[in-house]
Amino acid sequence: CGTGPFLLIDYVSMSSLTYKRNPNYWRKNPLHPEDTLPYIDTYKVLIIPDSSTRLSAMRTGKIDILGVGWENFEELMETNPELKYYRYLSATSSNIYLRMDKPELPWYDIQVRHALHMAIDLQAIAKDYYGGNAEILTHPVVPYAEFMDLVYPFDELPESTKELFRYNPDKAKQLLAEAGYPAGFKASVLCISAYVDLLSIVKDYWANIGVDLTLDVRETAVHESMRMRKKQEEMIIHYMDNAQFQTGTYFSTGAALNASQISDERMDQLVEELKEKKYDWDWLAQQWQEVTPYILEQAWSIELPTPYSYVTWQPWVKEYSGESTIGYLNFSNYVHYLWLDQDLKKAMGH
Protein backbone atom coordinates (compact mmCIF):
# COMPACT_ATOMS: atom_id res chain seq x y z
CA CYS A 1 0.00 0.00 0.00
CA GLY A 2 3.07 2.26 -0.01
CA THR A 3 3.33 2.68 3.78
CA GLY A 4 5.77 -0.13 4.54
CA PRO A 5 9.57 -0.23 4.41
CA PHE A 6 9.60 -1.66 0.87
CA LEU A 7 7.67 -1.16 -2.36
CA LEU A 8 6.88 -4.09 -4.62
CA ILE A 9 8.32 -3.22 -8.03
CA ASP A 10 8.28 -6.58 -9.82
CA TYR A 11 6.54 -9.93 -9.59
CA VAL A 12 7.31 -12.88 -11.83
CA SER A 13 4.82 -15.70 -11.31
CA MET A 14 6.44 -18.77 -9.71
CA SER A 15 9.83 -17.08 -9.89
CA SER A 16 10.39 -13.99 -7.76
CA LEU A 17 9.13 -10.88 -5.98
CA THR A 18 11.34 -7.80 -5.96
CA TYR A 19 11.03 -4.94 -3.48
CA LYS A 20 12.79 -1.58 -3.40
CA ARG A 21 13.46 0.57 -0.37
CA ASN A 22 10.64 3.02 0.34
CA PRO A 23 12.33 6.46 0.42
CA ASN A 24 9.45 7.85 2.50
CA TYR A 25 9.49 5.20 5.21
CA TRP A 26 9.18 6.73 8.65
CA ARG A 27 10.55 4.22 11.15
CA LYS A 28 13.87 4.69 12.98
CA ASN A 29 15.99 1.89 14.41
CA PRO A 30 15.24 1.93 18.18
CA LEU A 31 18.81 0.82 18.93
CA HIS A 32 20.28 3.45 16.60
CA PRO A 33 17.77 6.33 16.60
CA GLU A 34 19.78 8.28 14.07
CA ASP A 35 19.23 5.58 11.43
CA THR A 36 16.18 5.60 9.20
CA LEU A 37 15.07 2.14 8.16
CA PRO A 38 15.36 0.07 6.06
CA TYR A 39 19.08 -0.37 5.47
CA ILE A 40 19.02 -2.46 2.30
CA ASP A 41 18.05 -1.00 -1.07
CA THR A 42 16.65 -4.14 -2.71
CA TYR A 43 14.91 -7.16 -1.18
CA LYS A 44 14.19 -10.14 -3.39
CA VAL A 45 12.15 -13.22 -2.56
CA LEU A 46 13.00 -16.14 -4.84
CA ILE A 47 10.43 -18.87 -5.46
CA ILE A 48 12.42 -22.08 -5.95
CA PRO A 49 10.20 -25.18 -5.68
CA ASP A 50 13.03 -27.70 -6.07
CA SER A 51 14.81 -28.44 -2.80
CA SER A 52 18.18 -29.33 -4.34
CA THR A 53 18.21 -26.07 -6.33
CA ARG A 54 17.46 -24.06 -3.16
CA LEU A 55 20.30 -25.77 -1.29
CA SER A 56 22.70 -25.22 -4.18
CA ALA A 57 21.83 -21.53 -4.30
CA MET A 58 22.52 -21.23 -0.57
CA ARG A 59 25.82 -23.08 -0.85
CA THR A 60 27.05 -20.78 -3.60
CA GLY A 61 26.01 -17.57 -1.85
CA LYS A 62 23.21 -16.68 -4.25
CA ILE A 63 20.74 -16.72 -1.35
CA ASP A 64 21.31 -14.83 1.89
CA ILE A 65 18.66 -16.47 4.10
CA LEU A 66 17.06 -19.90 3.72
CA GLY A 67 14.75 -21.96 5.88
CA VAL A 68 15.46 -25.70 5.76
CA GLY A 69 13.99 -28.83 7.28
CA TRP A 70 15.97 -31.02 9.64
CA GLU A 71 16.60 -33.53 6.85
CA ASN A 72 18.61 -30.99 4.82
CA PHE A 73 20.26 -29.09 7.65
CA GLU A 74 23.15 -31.45 8.45
CA GLU A 75 23.98 -31.87 4.78
CA LEU A 76 24.06 -28.10 4.29
CA MET A 77 26.28 -27.54 7.31
CA GLU A 78 28.74 -30.19 6.14
CA THR A 79 29.40 -28.27 2.93
CA ASN A 80 29.03 -24.78 4.41
CA PRO A 81 30.07 -24.82 8.09
CA GLU A 82 30.42 -21.02 8.04
CA LEU A 83 26.64 -20.55 7.87
CA LYS A 84 24.80 -19.14 10.85
CA TYR A 85 21.65 -20.94 11.95
CA TYR A 86 18.77 -21.06 14.40
CA ARG A 87 16.82 -24.19 15.35
CA TYR A 88 13.19 -23.71 16.30
CA LEU A 89 10.14 -25.76 17.18
CA SER A 90 7.25 -25.12 14.82
CA ALA A 91 4.45 -23.05 16.33
CA THR A 92 1.96 -25.21 14.45
CA SER A 93 1.38 -28.92 14.94
CA SER A 94 -0.24 -31.40 12.55
CA ASN A 95 -3.56 -32.51 14.00
CA ILE A 96 -6.07 -35.08 12.84
CA TYR A 97 -9.38 -33.45 13.72
CA LEU A 98 -12.20 -35.87 14.57
CA ARG A 99 -15.60 -34.56 13.56
CA MET A 100 -17.64 -34.25 16.75
CA ASP A 101 -21.04 -33.06 15.54
CA LYS A 102 -22.22 -36.45 14.23
CA PRO A 103 -23.29 -38.86 16.99
CA GLU A 104 -23.29 -41.74 14.50
CA LEU A 105 -19.50 -41.55 14.04
CA PRO A 106 -17.52 -44.01 16.21
CA TRP A 107 -15.31 -41.36 17.85
CA TYR A 108 -18.32 -39.54 19.25
CA ASP A 109 -17.58 -42.01 22.06
CA ILE A 110 -14.59 -40.76 24.08
CA GLN A 111 -13.32 -44.33 24.49
CA VAL A 112 -12.86 -44.56 20.71
CA ARG A 113 -10.99 -41.26 20.65
CA HIS A 114 -8.71 -42.53 23.37
CA ALA A 115 -8.17 -45.78 21.48
CA LEU A 116 -7.20 -43.94 18.30
CA HIS A 117 -4.67 -41.92 20.28
CA MET A 118 -2.89 -44.75 22.01
CA ALA A 119 -2.83 -46.91 18.86
CA ILE A 120 -0.24 -44.54 17.34
CA ASP A 121 3.41 -44.84 18.40
CA LEU A 122 4.20 -41.14 18.57
CA GLN A 123 7.70 -41.74 19.93
CA ALA A 124 8.54 -43.98 16.96
CA ILE A 125 7.26 -41.37 14.49
CA ALA A 126 9.37 -38.68 16.18
CA LYS A 127 12.44 -40.94 16.12
CA ASP A 128 12.11 -42.59 12.70
CA TYR A 129 10.06 -40.25 10.52
CA TYR A 130 11.57 -37.03 11.88
CA GLY A 131 15.01 -38.41 12.74
CA GLY A 132 14.56 -37.47 16.39
CA ASN A 133 13.95 -33.82 15.45
CA ALA A 134 10.42 -33.57 16.85
CA GLU A 135 8.55 -33.17 20.11
CA ILE A 136 5.50 -34.97 21.47
CA LEU A 137 2.60 -32.85 22.71
CA THR A 138 3.32 -29.20 21.94
CA HIS A 139 -0.26 -27.92 22.19
CA PRO A 140 -2.64 -26.40 23.10
CA VAL A 141 0.09 -23.94 24.21
CA VAL A 142 3.44 -24.20 22.42
CA PRO A 143 6.24 -24.72 25.00
CA TYR A 144 8.22 -21.61 24.09
CA ALA A 145 10.12 -19.93 26.91
CA GLU A 146 7.75 -16.95 26.84
CA PHE A 147 4.68 -19.16 27.40
CA MET A 148 5.93 -21.61 30.02
CA ASP A 149 3.69 -20.06 32.70
CA LEU A 150 0.75 -21.27 30.61
CA VAL A 151 2.10 -24.75 29.78
CA TYR A 152 0.87 -27.67 31.86
CA PRO A 153 3.80 -30.05 32.59
CA PHE A 154 3.29 -33.46 31.01
CA ASP A 155 4.57 -35.27 34.10
CA GLU A 156 1.82 -33.67 36.20
CA LEU A 157 -1.05 -34.76 33.96
CA PRO A 158 -3.42 -37.44 35.26
CA GLU A 159 -2.19 -40.93 34.42
CA SER A 160 -5.27 -41.56 32.28
CA THR A 161 -4.30 -38.58 30.12
CA LYS A 162 -0.60 -39.39 29.92
CA GLU A 163 -1.35 -42.87 28.62
CA LEU A 164 -3.01 -41.35 25.53
CA PHE A 165 0.48 -40.41 24.35
CA ARG A 166 2.01 -43.83 25.02
CA TYR A 167 1.79 -46.60 22.46
CA ASN A 168 -0.58 -49.29 23.75
CA PRO A 169 -2.43 -51.13 20.96
CA ASP A 170 -3.74 -53.79 23.35
CA LYS A 171 -5.45 -51.18 25.51
CA ALA A 172 -6.71 -49.51 22.33
CA LYS A 173 -8.36 -52.76 21.19
CA GLN A 174 -9.90 -53.16 24.63
CA LEU A 175 -11.39 -49.67 24.51
CA LEU A 176 -12.81 -50.26 21.02
CA ALA A 177 -14.45 -53.47 22.19
CA GLU A 178 -15.95 -51.74 25.21
CA ALA A 179 -17.31 -49.03 22.91
CA GLY A 180 -18.97 -51.63 20.70
CA TYR A 181 -16.37 -51.93 17.94
CA PRO A 182 -14.53 -55.20 18.64
CA ALA A 183 -13.82 -55.65 14.90
CA GLY A 184 -12.92 -52.01 14.36
CA PHE A 185 -14.51 -49.76 11.74
CA LYS A 186 -13.82 -47.83 8.54
CA ALA A 187 -12.88 -44.15 8.54
CA SER A 188 -11.68 -41.48 6.11
CA VAL A 189 -9.43 -38.44 6.50
CA LEU A 190 -9.42 -35.44 4.19
CA CYS A 191 -5.85 -34.41 3.38
CA ILE A 192 -3.44 -32.88 0.87
CA SER A 193 -0.59 -34.78 -0.77
CA ALA A 194 2.00 -33.32 1.64
CA TYR A 195 0.46 -35.37 4.47
CA VAL A 196 0.23 -38.70 2.63
CA ASP A 197 3.49 -40.19 3.94
CA LEU A 198 2.73 -39.26 7.54
CA LEU A 199 -0.87 -40.44 7.32
CA SER A 200 0.23 -43.72 5.76
CA ILE A 201 2.10 -44.43 8.99
CA VAL A 202 -1.03 -43.63 10.99
CA LYS A 203 -3.06 -45.85 8.64
CA ASP A 204 -0.75 -48.81 9.37
CA TYR A 205 -0.96 -48.27 13.13
CA TRP A 206 -4.75 -48.06 13.08
CA ALA A 207 -4.97 -51.16 10.88
CA ASN A 208 -3.43 -53.07 13.81
CA ILE A 209 -6.54 -52.34 15.90
CA GLY A 210 -9.03 -52.95 13.08
CA VAL A 211 -9.52 -49.35 11.94
CA ASP A 212 -9.42 -49.14 8.14
CA LEU A 213 -8.41 -45.57 7.24
CA THR A 214 -8.94 -44.16 3.74
CA LEU A 215 -6.86 -41.14 2.68
CA ASP A 216 -9.10 -38.71 0.79
CA VAL A 217 -6.39 -36.69 -0.99
CA ARG A 218 -7.48 -33.37 -2.46
CA GLU A 219 -5.78 -30.43 -4.14
CA THR A 220 -4.89 -27.74 -1.61
CA ALA A 221 -7.52 -25.21 -2.67
CA VAL A 222 -10.24 -27.87 -2.49
CA HIS A 223 -9.02 -29.07 0.90
CA GLU A 224 -9.00 -25.53 2.29
CA SER A 225 -12.42 -24.75 0.86
CA MET A 226 -13.90 -27.89 2.40
CA ARG A 227 -12.16 -27.20 5.73
CA MET A 228 -13.40 -23.62 5.99
CA ARG A 229 -16.94 -24.66 5.01
CA LYS A 230 -16.66 -27.72 7.29
CA LYS A 231 -17.62 -30.09 4.49
CA GLN A 232 -15.33 -33.01 5.40
CA GLU A 233 -17.31 -36.18 5.98
CA GLU A 234 -15.31 -37.50 8.92
CA MET A 235 -11.70 -36.57 9.77
CA ILE A 236 -9.46 -33.86 8.40
CA ILE A 237 -5.76 -33.16 8.96
CA HIS A 238 -4.66 -29.57 9.35
CA TYR A 239 -2.43 -27.48 11.57
CA MET A 240 -3.15 -26.16 15.05
CA ASP A 241 -1.61 -22.84 15.95
CA ASN A 242 -0.73 -21.69 19.46
CA ALA A 243 -4.12 -21.87 21.13
CA GLN A 244 -3.14 -19.17 23.61
CA PHE A 245 -3.86 -16.78 20.74
CA GLN A 246 -6.47 -18.85 18.91
CA THR A 247 -8.69 -20.25 21.69
CA GLY A 248 -11.83 -18.77 20.20
CA THR A 249 -11.16 -20.09 16.71
CA TYR A 250 -10.20 -23.65 17.68
CA PHE A 251 -12.47 -24.49 20.59
CA SER A 252 -15.62 -22.34 20.51
CA THR A 253 -18.87 -23.44 18.92
CA GLY A 254 -19.07 -22.56 15.23
CA ALA A 255 -15.63 -20.90 15.07
CA ALA A 256 -13.66 -20.79 11.82
CA LEU A 257 -10.79 -23.12 12.83
CA ASN A 258 -12.93 -25.45 14.92
CA ALA A 259 -12.31 -28.30 12.48
CA SER A 260 -13.55 -30.91 14.96
CA GLN A 261 -16.79 -28.94 15.20
CA ILE A 262 -16.74 -29.04 18.97
CA SER A 263 -19.60 -27.61 20.94
CA ASP A 264 -18.43 -27.63 24.53
CA GLU A 265 -19.91 -25.52 27.31
CA ARG A 266 -16.68 -25.21 29.28
CA MET A 267 -14.67 -24.02 26.27
CA ASP A 268 -17.39 -21.59 25.18
CA GLN A 269 -17.37 -20.06 28.66
CA LEU A 270 -13.57 -19.70 28.59
CA VAL A 271 -13.74 -17.96 25.22
CA GLU A 272 -16.30 -15.48 26.55
CA GLU A 273 -14.10 -14.69 29.55
CA LEU A 274 -11.09 -14.25 27.28
CA LYS A 275 -12.78 -11.33 25.57
CA GLU A 276 -12.41 -9.34 28.77
CA LYS A 277 -9.19 -10.77 30.21
CA LYS A 278 -7.05 -11.69 27.23
CA TYR A 279 -4.15 -9.51 28.41
CA ASP A 280 -4.28 -10.47 32.08
CA TRP A 281 -1.26 -12.79 32.09
CA ASP A 282 -1.74 -14.18 35.60
CA TRP A 283 -5.35 -15.01 34.82
CA LEU A 284 -4.35 -16.61 31.50
CA ALA A 285 -1.75 -18.76 33.20
CA GLN A 286 -4.28 -19.99 35.75
CA GLN A 287 -6.90 -20.72 33.10
CA TRP A 288 -4.54 -22.68 30.84
CA GLN A 289 -3.20 -24.63 33.78
CA GLU A 290 -6.76 -25.62 34.61
CA VAL A 291 -8.14 -26.26 31.12
CA THR A 292 -5.21 -28.05 29.43
CA PRO A 293 -5.78 -31.43 31.14
CA TYR A 294 -9.46 -31.18 30.15
CA ILE A 295 -8.67 -30.44 26.48
CA LEU A 296 -6.19 -33.32 26.28
CA GLU A 297 -8.55 -35.74 28.02
CA GLN A 298 -11.36 -34.91 25.59
CA ALA A 299 -9.08 -35.88 22.66
CA TRP A 300 -11.04 -33.92 20.06
CA SER A 301 -8.02 -34.10 17.77
CA ILE A 302 -4.91 -36.25 17.55
CA GLU A 303 -1.69 -34.28 17.61
CA LEU A 304 1.13 -35.90 15.69
CA PRO A 305 4.78 -35.08 16.56
CA THR A 306 5.81 -31.49 15.90
CA PRO A 307 9.15 -31.17 14.06
CA TYR A 308 12.01 -28.76 14.49
CA SER A 309 13.14 -26.65 11.56
CA TYR A 310 16.12 -24.43 10.89
CA VAL A 311 16.78 -20.98 9.50
CA THR A 312 20.22 -20.56 7.95
CA TRP A 313 21.89 -17.34 6.86
CA GLN A 314 25.15 -16.15 5.40
CA PRO A 315 27.79 -14.61 7.72
CA TRP A 316 27.51 -11.29 5.90
CA VAL A 317 23.86 -10.87 6.96
CA LYS A 318 23.96 -8.62 10.02
CA GLU A 319 21.40 -7.78 12.69
CA TYR A 320 19.67 -11.10 12.17
CA SER A 321 19.05 -13.93 14.64
CA GLY A 322 16.80 -16.29 12.67
CA GLU A 323 13.44 -14.62 13.29
CA SER A 324 10.59 -14.80 10.80
CA THR A 325 8.21 -12.49 12.68
CA ILE A 326 8.56 -9.62 15.12
CA GLY A 327 5.43 -9.92 17.19
CA TYR A 328 2.45 -12.15 16.52
CA LEU A 329 1.81 -12.60 12.77
CA ASN A 330 4.08 -9.65 11.96
CA PHE A 331 5.67 -11.55 9.10
CA SER A 332 8.76 -10.33 7.24
CA ASN A 333 9.11 -7.01 9.05
CA TYR A 334 12.45 -8.16 10.44
CA VAL A 335 13.93 -7.47 6.99
CA HIS A 336 14.09 -3.72 7.43
CA TYR A 337 16.57 -4.11 10.32
CA LEU A 338 19.04 -6.16 8.28
CA TRP A 339 22.16 -4.97 6.53
CA LEU A 340 24.75 -6.76 4.45
CA ASP A 341 28.48 -6.59 5.10
CA GLN A 342 29.57 -6.27 1.48
CA ASP A 343 33.28 -6.28 2.36
CA LEU A 344 32.90 -9.62 4.16
CA LYS A 345 30.85 -11.02 1.31
CA LYS A 346 33.54 -10.05 -1.18
CA ALA A 347 36.30 -11.45 1.05
CA MET A 348 34.45 -14.78 1.08
CA GLY A 349 34.44 -14.87 -2.71
CA HIS A 350 30.85 -13.84 -3.42
Side-chain angles (χ1 to χ4, degrees):
C1 296
T3 60
F6 297 97
L7 304 174
L8 178 66
I9 62 168
D10 186 49
Y11 168 61
V12 181
S13 179
M14 294 305 296
S15 179
S16 65
L17 298 91
T18 303
Y19 300 86
K20 285 288 188 181
R21 183 181 190 274
N22 184 351
N24 299 314
Y25 190 55
W26 54 273
R27 189 186 296 276
K28 301 285 187 177
N29 188 331
L31 298 179
H32 306 281
E34 69 279 7
D35 293 351
T36 300
L37 299 173
Y39 289 111
I40 58 179
D41 294 320
T42 304
Y43 168 46
K44 191 170 226 181
V45 178
L46 301 179
I47 302 170
I48 308 176
D50 181 67
S51 175
S52 60
T53 305
R54 289 196 302 271
L55 294 173
S56 176
M58 190 66 181
R59 288 191 180 100
T60 56
K62 292 181 173 62
I63 292 178
D64 297 306
I65 300 172
L66 179 67
V68 297
W70 63 269
E71 62 271 36
N72 295 129
F73 172 73
E74 292 185 3
E75 177 188 350
L76 186 60
M77 295 305 295
E78 285 179 3
T79 58
N80 295 69
E82 76 280 2
L83 292 176
K84 308 293 184 180
Y85 69 89
Y86 176 69
R87 180 178 186 250
Y88 65 95
L89 181 66
S90 174
T92 58
S93 62
S94 296
N95 284 47
I96 301 174
Y97 293 91
L98 310 173
R99 187 161 182 169
M100 293 299 303
D101 63 333
K102 293 183 174 183
E104 68 272 19
L105 293 175
W107 46 86
Y108 196 79
D109 187 323
I110 194 171
Q111 291 188 101
V112 175
R113 302 200 296 274
H114 286 184
L116 293 174
H117 262 267
M118 61 183 65
I120 302 172
D121 192 339
L122 297 173
Q123 296 292 344
I125 293 175
K127 177 177 179 291
D128 299 329
Y129 186 76
Y130 290 112
N133 293 279
E135 297 289 343
I136 308 298
L137 187 55
T138 65
H139 284 74
V141 180
V142 183
Y144 291 159
E146 295 82 357
F147 301 138
M148 291 310 294
D149 290 345
L150 284 64
V151 174
Y152 196 101
F154 180 82
D155 291 341
E156 297 178 17
L157 287 169
E159 189 61 31
S160 61
T161 305
K162 285 192 285 189
E163 73 173 353
L164 300 180
F165 301 91
R166 296 170 180 156
Y167 183 47
N168 192 342
D170 292 335
K171 179 67 176 294
K173 290 178 183 177
Q174 176 188 332
L175 290 174
L176 286 184
E178 292 174 0
Y181 300 96
F185 53 84
K186 292 184 177 182
S188 67
V189 57
L190 185 69
C191 64
I192 58 175
S193 59
Y195 284 117
V196 167
D197 287 347
L198 184 57
L199 286 174
S200 295
I201 298 172
V202 173
K203 177 181 174 71
D204 287 344
Y205 279 126
W206 282 353
N208 293 332
I209 62 169
V211 175
D212 182 7
L213 182 66
T214 297
L215 308 188
D216 183 5
V217 185
R218 303 295 184 98
E219 190 270 333
T220 300
V222 176
H223 176 277
E224 286 300 283
S225 176
M226 293 179 70
R227 179 182 66 86
M228 293 304 294
R229 294 184 295 121
K230 298 180 173 59
K231 294 297 185 180
Q232 74 273 17
E233 289 295 321
E234 298 182 355
M235 304 176 184
I236 186 171
I237 187 167
H238 192 56
Y239 67 80
M240 177 178 282
D241 206 343
N242 192 336
Q244 192 271 329
F245 296 112
Q246 299 278 14
T247 312
T249 54
Y250 283 117
F251 298 114
S252 64
T253 302
L257 297 181
N258 183 354
S260 292
Q261 303 189 49
I262 305 157
S263 183
D264 183 86
E265 183 177 351
R266 179 171 179 178
M267 298 309 300
D268 286 344
Q269 180 180 347
L270 174 61
V271 170
E272 284 300 312
E273 293 173 354
L274 274 170
K275 293 177 182 178
E276 299 292 331
K277 300 181 178 180
K278 188 170 185 176
Y279 301 103
D280 183 337
W281 194 257
D282 291 337
W283 181 85
L284 281 174
Q286 178 184 347
Q287 295 304 310
W288 279 110
Q289 290 289 332
E290 292 177 359
V291 80
T292 294
Y294 176 74
I295 291 174
L296 298 179
E297 181 73 18
Q298 293 306 306
W300 293 309
S301 69
I302 299 172
E303 180 190 334
L304 301 174
T306 301
Y308 285 94
S309 295
Y310 293 82
V311 176
T312 62
W313 64 96
Q314 305 288 357
W316 55 78
V317 179
K318 303 301 182 180
E319 297 297 327
Y320 185 59
S321 303
E323 56 268 57
S324 60
T325 69
I326 303 176
Y328 183 59
L329 292 181
N330 193 6
F331 295 118
S332 297
N333 271 5
Y334 66 90
V335 176
H336 62 261
Y337 292 101
L338 308 184
W339 61 276
L340 305 182
D341 187 334
Q342 299 290 359
D343 292 335
L344 176 60
K345 184 175 181 178
K346 184 176 180 180
M348 295 181 67
H350 298 285

